[in-house]
Amino acid sequence: MTNEERKVPSLEEVLLLIERLLPFAHQRELLHESDMTSTRNSLLDLFKLAEPHREELNHEELDSAVPLLEQLLDYGYVIGLIPSQTVLQRDLLDSRIMGLLLPR
């Protein structure tokens, strides 16, 4: 799928993507339970969001974070976190996101 064909997630979808990314990182032992709140807050700050998704999530086991990250990268472009949709710019933002998910 090309960049032009991707659907940019809504604000509510972005909040949900962040909430789904946190348990993925925890399940992969990238993120300790005690760091969940601070990591959530850091991701919200990165994406210029005021408050987290409030609804309870169903438990899910994701094989990969790529589908979540792709949508977050698209949203990051729309809000100006990256100046273009090039592979380099997307990789840089992806690295920033994943850096927030690593142990402190």
Side-chain angles (χ1 to χ4, degrees), residues 37-48 100 104:
T37 300
S38 64
T39 300
R40 176 184 293 109
N41 291 341
S42 295
L43 286 166
L44 292 172
D45 182 60
L46 175 64
F47 286 99
K48 302 173 175 51
L100 294 173
R104 305 285 168 252

Side-chain angles (χ1 to χ4, degrees), residues 11-12 14-16 18-19 40-41 43-45 47-55:
L11 180 63
E12 194 58 39
V14 170
L15 293 172
L16 182 58
I18 289 171
E19 290 305 312
R40 176 184 293 109
N41 291 341
L43 286 166
L44 292 172
D45 182 60
F47 286 99
K48 302 173 175 51
L49 302 169
E51 57 185 56
H53 180 77
R54 295 289 181 195
E55 296 176 26

Side-chain angles (χ1 to χ4, degrees), residues 2-13:
T2 67
N3 291 336
E4 294 79 30
E5 295 172 338
R6 285 195 185 102
K7 176 188 165 285
V8 177
S10 68
L11 180 63
E12 194 58 39
E13 289 170 325

Side-chain angles (χ1 to χ4, degrees), residues 43-48 72-84 89-90 92-93 96-97:
L43 286 166
L44 292 172
D45 182 60
L46 175 64
F47 286 99
K48 302 173 175 51
L72 289 171
L73 296 175
D74 292 339
Y75 184 77
Y77 170 70
V78 168
I79 65 168
L81 293 180
I82 54 176
S84 65
Q89 292 299 317
R90 290 175 69 85
L92 290 172
L93 181 54
R96 283 179 68 188
I97 295 167

